[in-house]
Amino acid sequence: MNNLTEFEKYVIEQKGTERPFSGEYVDHDVQGMYLCKKCLAPLYKSEHKFNAHCGWPAFDNEIEGAVKHTLDADGHRTEITCAQCGGHLGHVFEGEHLTENNIRHCVNSVSMVFTPLDELSQVSSASTPNEKATFGAGCFWCIEAIFSQLKGVQSVKSGYCGGDAKDANYDAVCSGRTGHAEVIQIEFDPAVISYETLLAVLFESHDPTTLNQQGNDKGPQYRSVIFAHNSQQIDAANRFINALTEQHVWPKPIVTEVSAFDTFYPAENYHEDYFAKHGEQPYCQLVVKPKFDKVMSKFADKRKN
């Protein structure tokens, strides 16, 4: 979660409203994506935005599953909030016939942060076709061991992502005060293994319904989270989570965060290939190995020779 100013808290957490025509995104027309200011969850694409001449940024669509609609207590207006963190965005109006979609999300600029298209774009070239994926699913020892065995995965690095601090180390992150999650960053060849397959392995590798916890490992550093590197990954992650929800794969609601990737801090060297080097240790035998064996048996055809 991002640290908020007092005015941002007033709007986002206390459901306040900024003055009309005062926000930085009222006349903003750059290509990219608008994210939740509080949790960086993707909310709107630039193609959803239009000029409603109302004094606040207006959108006639939303990223699937990103925005929650709730009728106000007075029954007259519908509030919109970030589906991930509950932060107040504004209100939604229908029947104004301003666009073909006939809907207007009236959003406070201060509730959002913008990421330009070039920072969301997928990085690839003929010489470097690999892509990156960054996942958090509890202790990084567990998922590092699993993903490193998949065909098409070139490398897996353990580290930290998603915190407020400008640096991260194991002791600080384990305190739960920095806001970072233990993650792995995967470099993979999309011609061999798809991002959707990586998502399937991710959700088989942990319980996405336990908030800030995996087994006996508790704290925000163990949260379930997907840090998307581009808009395609954002869409794929939301589609995947929505499909799991609709199919009732899990008996409880999925709490996995989908956030825009920011900064990855590599973990200390002794975390590298931890299961491969220390597989005889009790934690590895009791926690990592059973999970590793279960996932590898299900994805045997995806395993490296």
Side-chain angles (χ1 to χ4, degrees):
M1 297 289 179
N2 278 340
N3 288 326
L4 303 178
T5 66
E6 288 305 311
F7 182 67
E8 289 167 350
K9 289 180 181 178
Y10 162 69
V11 174
I12 297 170
E13 297 180 346
Q14 301 172 31
K15 304 184 186 301
T17 303
E18 65 190 7
R19 289 183 295 103
F21 300 102
S22 66
E24 64 176 312
Y25 300 131
V26 175
D27 298 318
H28 194 252
D29 62 358
V30 180
Q31 288 190 318
M33 189 166 295
Y34 296 84
L35 317 175
C36 173
K37 174 67 71 67
K38 187 174 182 180
C39 71
L40 297 182
L43 301 171
Y44 303 101
K45 297 179 181 180
S46 54
E47 54 262 38
H48 299 158
K49 193 173 186 294
F50 70 99
N51 192 347
H53 305 286
C54 62
W56 293 273
F59 303 86
D60 69 352
N61 206 341
E62 65 199 69
I63 293 173
E64 186 178 357
V67 179
K68 182 179 179 181
H69 299 226
T70 306
L71 191 65
D72 275 354
D74 60 13
H76 296 302
R77 295 195 303 173
T78 299
E79 182 193 12
I80 46 177
T81 55
C82 171
Q84 182 158 284
C85 72
H88 175 73
L89 302 175
H91 287 82
V92 64
F93 303 92
E94 298 185 57
E96 298 175 325
H97 303 286
L98 297 175
T99 71
E100 289 185 5
N101 289 343
N102 198 22
I103 191 169
R104 173 171 62 96
H105 288 236
C106 185
V107 186
N108 291 286
S109 290
V110 75
S111 295
M112 303 182 294
V113 62
F114 180 77
T115 300
L117 184 63
D118 58 354
E119 294 182 22
L120 290 165
S121 297
Q122 178 176 314
V123 179
S124 66
S125 67
S127 59
T128 58
N130 292 342
E131 298 178 19
K132 290 183 179 180
T134 304
F135 302 142
C139 175
F140 45 33
W141 295 345
C142 296
I143 51 175
E144 185 275 336
I146 292 168
F147 281 92
S148 64
Q149 294 301 308
L150 299 176
K151 294 176 185 176
V153 170
Q154 306 299 320
S155 67
V156 182
K157 296 180 180 178
S158 295
Y160 317 102
C161 193
D164 298 326
K166 299 303 181 184
D167 196 3
N169 59 71
Y170 189 67
D171 290 338
V173 171
C174 283
S175 73
R177 295 191 297 269
T178 71
H180 292 93
E182 287 193 13
V183 300
I184 56 167
Q185 187 162 96
I186 305 161
E187 185 176 347
F188 67 100
D189 183 350
V192 179
I193 188 168
S194 68
Y195 185 71
E196 286 75 11
T197 298
L198 296 178
L199 289 172
V201 174
L202 172 69
F203 281 94
E204 192 67 33
S205 302
H206 78 299
D207 184 348
T209 70
T210 53
L211 184 64
N212 296 334
Q213 178 180 355
Q214 287 297 307
N216 293 324
D217 294 327
K218 299 179 181 180
Q221 68 271 29
Y222 298 117
R223 66 187 182 272
S224 176
V225 58
I226 297 167
F227 291 105
H229 288 254
N230 53 55
S231 58
Q232 292 89 349
Q233 289 188 2
I234 290 170
D235 291 341
N238 283 321
R239 283 196 306 269
F240 201 94
I241 292 172
N242 289 337
L244 292 178
T245 300
E246 292 171 1
Q247 296 165 15
H248 303 288
V249 174
W250 295 89
K252 296 185 293 184
I254 292 173
V255 297
T256 304
E257 296 178 10
V258 179
S259 296
F261 174 78
D262 187 2
T263 305
F264 174 79
Y265 297 97
E268 295 78 357
N269 290 337
Y270 65 84
H271 293 293
E272 185 178 355
D273 298 324
Y274 195 88
F275 178 61
K277 296 175 181 176
H278 307 284
E280 75 289 347
Q281 292 191 0
Y283 183 89
C284 290
Q285 286 295 311
L286 296 173
V287 178
V288 184
K289 189 177 187 303
K291 189 175 294 187
F292 177 88
D293 291 342
K294 170 179 172 287
V295 177
M296 286 296 100
S297 65
K298 184 164 185 176
F299 293 92
D301 61 321
K302 304 295 182 183
R303 189 170 183 177
K304 295 175 181 177
N305 297 327

